[in-house]
Amino acid sequence: MTFDSLVVLLALVGMLAALVKEVMRPGMILFTVTAVFLCFGIITPKEMLEGFSNKGMITVALLFLVSEGVRQSGALSQVIKRILPQGKTTVFKAQARMLPSIAFISAFLNNTPVVVIFAPIIKRWAKMVKLPATKFLIPLSYMTILGGLCTLIGTSTNLVVHGMMIEAGFEGLGMFDLAWIGIPITIIGAIYIFLTSKKMLPDDRPEPEVSEDDSDPEEPLHPVEVVIGSRFPGINKTLKEFNFRRHYGAEVREIKRGGKVISNKEIGHEPMYEGDTLVLMADDSFVKTWGDSSVFLMIANGHDSEPHSSCRKRTFTLFLLVLMIVGATVGELPWFQETFPELKLDMFFFAAVTAVIMAWANIFPARKYTKYISWDILITIACAFAISKAMTNSGMADLIAKAIIDLSYSFGPKSTVGPYILLGALYLISNVITALITNNAAAALGFPLALSLATQLGVSPMPFFIAICISASADFSTPIGYQTNLIVQGIGNYKFMDFVRVGLPLNLLCMVVSVLLIPQFWPFDL
């Protein structure tokens, strides 16, 4: 092992430990690691900055704005209200109407706003039709994750791997290339959810009533639920240390975390963490003031809080979304590229045009556009490129890949150990990193391993690249593995083990299906 590879190994171990302990936001942790690599000369300043100018990363930023435009148009809330059955129904019948539509929508929009809009509406609807909301909220999150596996823009991980492929000299992914594996996994996942929801998902857990007796009659207060986001300034502080009322003009009555409700005397001594659900007593101005803030991932006040846009604006927004998807798809077709070789009409082009049109058409407030972009995710993605480059430059990727290959030989003779086993090993490694840390960090660590494994085996790297796309997103076993799981955990009052019990078998199911199907569409042969 060379000195550079030792530095990379120690830095990566430190990075993983820091991410697990959440000592800082993921973006700053990854940026720190890239700065260490820069100091030791493992990467050059140009290599460190390449990720910040990568087309895939900038496309993710533009898609945040497009998703916000769709959210603020009110189109999504109208869609889910039409999907939900209004009469007497069963869990199975309602899921049969909801889940395919949710998967389709999340294939083209950022998962988080879909869940942020749908979750409170579904919770109110479930109460109205007298069905447990817990039978629908975890399936909501899972189907947005599964739907995101079907297209290039379904999740940021796909765009990260796409960008890394282009940086490494390979042809990137097309809009629907991942559908060959994403659609079968989504169908199998939906069937699994249909079959297991009734028995494996909990019934509604009773929540203590929030008293409104001490409200000022002249300034009536009512319960409001919020999910704490990464920019909340009181993270890791108690309510005695952080004056919530002074900051936001509302009083915290309950903290919901992992299926537990903290209230009364205990609440003042309890630290607040990202993903916690707070039950507040607030007036009508709270939602108007903080509804578009990135301080909270979600705000639900018991009735519709989505912007009431005109039908014309909703229709125009959906038209722009369809135009973006169709345009990017057609622009990638071989006949179009041969006919118009000077034009590069890809997803970046159409996402940029769509975001600009939405801003000028006031579909989202142009003056606040920076609030709608998750900068930590973008910094994480940009640093992922530099970390991947450092693993390659130092030889650490080759060493780890060789260790994986050598370890696989211990299970049998060389002749019986094929690329399928190594594909499964790579999938499992990326999936575990996603469950513990974050999907983009999993892609950063997995991509150079995928390339090195394929090189040492003398096979095509494409199956390994696709496995990274799927495994780095398809985590269902923990609420911390994916932001949508974190959101529904609080609003559904789920326990950590609810995700493990339902999600772990789905994780394994996705892995088996992926390892068997990926080589059928992307053969190992060079």
Side-chain angles (χ1 to χ4, degrees):
M1 181 180 290
T2 65
F3 177 75
D4 284 356
S5 59
L6 180 62
V7 170
V8 171
L9 177 61
L10 293 176
L12 292 181
V13 170
M15 180 188 79
L16 295 176
L19 287 168
V20 169
K21 292 185 177 181
E22 297 182 338
V23 296
M24 292 182 183
R25 295 295 302 150
M28 181 52 68
I29 293 173
L30 267 69
F31 187 76
T32 302
V33 172
T34 60
V36 170
F37 295 154
L38 182 67
C39 291
F40 280 94
I42 298 170
I43 56 175
T44 65
K46 181 181 178 182
E47 289 172 334
M48 182 177 178
L49 294 172
E50 280 175 352
F52 290 90
S53 60
N54 182 270
K55 187 185 287 187
M57 189 276 286
I58 299 174
T59 303
V60 172
L62 295 169
L63 290 174
F64 278 127
L65 297 178
V66 173
S67 294
E68 181 62 23
V70 175
R71 187 192 76 80
Q72 295 220 14
S73 73
L76 285 181
S77 57
Q78 294 299 317
V79 168
I80 191 63
K81 288 174 185 176
R82 292 178 183 274
I83 292 171
L84 294 172
Q86 298 304 311
K88 188 176 180 181
T89 186
T90 64
V91 171
F92 181 85
K93 289 180 180 178
Q95 285 185 349
R97 288 188 61 170
M98 290 169 47
L99 301 190
S101 302
I102 290 168
F104 178 81
I105 292 168
S106 65
F108 303 104
L109 290 174
N110 186 284
N111 296 346
T112 300
V114 173
V115 172
V116 165
I117 292 171
F118 286 6
I121 293 175
I122 289 173
K123 186 176 181 179
R124 292 196 304 270
W125 164 84
K127 186 177 182 180
M128 182 187 71
V129 298
K130 296 180 173 57
L131 290 175
T134 47
K135 304 292 186 184
F136 300 97
L137 294 175
I138 277 183
L140 165 66
S141 178
Y142 285 1
M143 291 309 294
T144 60
I145 296 171
L146 290 167
L149 303 176
C150 298
T151 67
L152 175 62
I153 62 172
T155 175
S156 61
T157 310
N158 297 344
L159 285 162
V160 170
V161 176
H162 168 75
M164 288 182 172
M165 289 171 62
I166 294 173
E167 290 285 337
F170 296 90
E171 187 176 347
L173 298 169
M175 172 66 81
F176 294 104
D177 284 355
L178 291 169
W180 294 106
I181 182 67
I183 290 176
I185 289 178
T186 301
I187 293 172
I188 292 170
I191 293 172
Y192 169 83
I193 292 171
F194 288 143
L195 296 177
T196 60
S197 290
K198 191 171 183 180
K199 291 186 178 180
M200 296 182 72
L201 287 173
D203 291 322
D204 278 335
R205 295 189 172 97
E207 300 179 15
E209 292 291 328
V210 178
S211 174
E212 302 180 36
D213 295 340
D214 54 354
S215 299
D216 185 347
E218 297 181 2
E219 188 182 7
L221 305 179
H222 53 83
V224 176
E225 282 188 309
V226 301
V227 178
I228 293 177
S230 60
R231 295 189 182 182
F232 178 65
I235 287 179
N236 297 328
K237 296 180 181 178
T238 66
L239 286 170
K240 287 189 175 294
E241 298 169 334
F242 181 82
N243 191 328
F244 195 96
R245 179 186 284 276
R246 182 172 62 82
H247 280 82
Y248 302 108
E251 181 182 349
V252 180
R253 292 294 182 87
E254 295 174 3
I255 300 175
K256 295 195 288 186
R257 179 191 306 135
K260 296 181 180 179
V261 178
I262 303 160
S263 57
N264 301 325
K265 295 180 180 179
E266 300 175 356
I267 197 169
H269 304 280
E270 186 65 28
M272 295 175 285
Y273 301 108
E274 181 182 356
D276 282 354
T277 297
L278 308 182
V279 179
L280 317 174
M281 291 303 296
D283 59 22
D284 293 334
S285 66
F286 180 87
V287 175
K288 295 177 183 177
T289 305
W290 300 103
D292 291 332
S293 169
S294 57
V295 169
F296 304 111
L297 295 176
M298 187 198 73
I299 294 180
N301 63 347
H303 52 80
D304 292 342
S305 59
E306 288 301 301
H308 295 286
S309 300
S310 65
C311 180
R312 180 179 296 179
K313 179 175 281 190
R314 291 196 298 269
T315 303
F316 182 59
T317 302
L318 293 177
F319 168 77
L320 289 176
L321 181 64
V322 172
L323 181 64
M324 180 186 77
I325 296 165
V326 173
T329 304
V330 172
E332 293 169 351
L333 294 176
W335 67 264
F336 184 90
Q337 294 178 352
E338 291 173 4
T339 308
F340 306 100
E342 70 282 358
L343 295 178
K344 188 62 177 176
L345 303 185
D346 55 5
M347 177 49 64
F348 169 77
F349 174 89
F350 281 99
V353 172
T354 302
V356 168
I357 293 175
M358 284 183 169
W360 283 95
N362 201 31
I363 295 174
F364 63 81
R367 291 181 179 272
K368 300 180 180 180
Y369 79 98
T370 55
K371 290 186 177 182
Y372 310 130
I373 298 174
S374 179
W375 296 103
D376 188 74
I377 290 179
L378 296 185
I379 293 171
T380 301
I381 291 171
C383 293
F385 286 89
I387 291 171
S388 177
K389 194 72 175 178
M391 291 178 68
T392 302
N393 290 353
S394 66
M396 178 51 60
D398 292 336
L399 288 174
I400 297 175
K402 187 177 184 303
I404 294 172
I405 294 172
D406 291 342
L407 181 63
S408 66
Y409 288 157
S410 64
F411 294 96
K414 283 191 177 184
S415 58
T416 63
V417 178
Y420 279 92
I421 293 177
L422 296 173
L423 186 67
L426 179 67
Y427 186 104
L428 186 60
I429 291 170
S430 299
N431 203 232
V432 169
I433 294 174
T434 296
L436 296 176
I437 307 170
T438 174
N439 54 342
N440 291 313
L445 298 177
F447 185 85
L449 293 182
L451 186 56
S452 186
L453 277 172
T455 302
Q456 293 187 39
L457 290 172
V459 298
S460 170
M462 278 304 296
F464 297 94
F465 294 159
I466 301 300
I468 293 296
C469 287
I470 304 299
S471 62
S473 295
D475 174 62
F476 312 94
S477 59
T478 67
I480 61 175
Y482 217 90
Q483 193 174 60
T484 57
N485 289 346
L486 206 57
I487 293 170
V488 300
Q489 182 189 27
I491 193 171
N493 205 23
Y494 292 109
K495 296 180 179 178
F496 186 94
M497 287 306 297
D498 293 331
F499 288 89
V500 175
R501 183 172 58 253
V502 182
L504 189 57
L506 185 54
N507 271 23
L508 297 174
L509 187 62
C510 288
M511 184 177 76
V512 171
V513 173
S514 297
V515 172
L516 293 176
L517 285 187
I518 287 174
Q520 309 307 315
F521 300 106
W522 294 273
F524 290 113
D525 299 334
L526 286 169

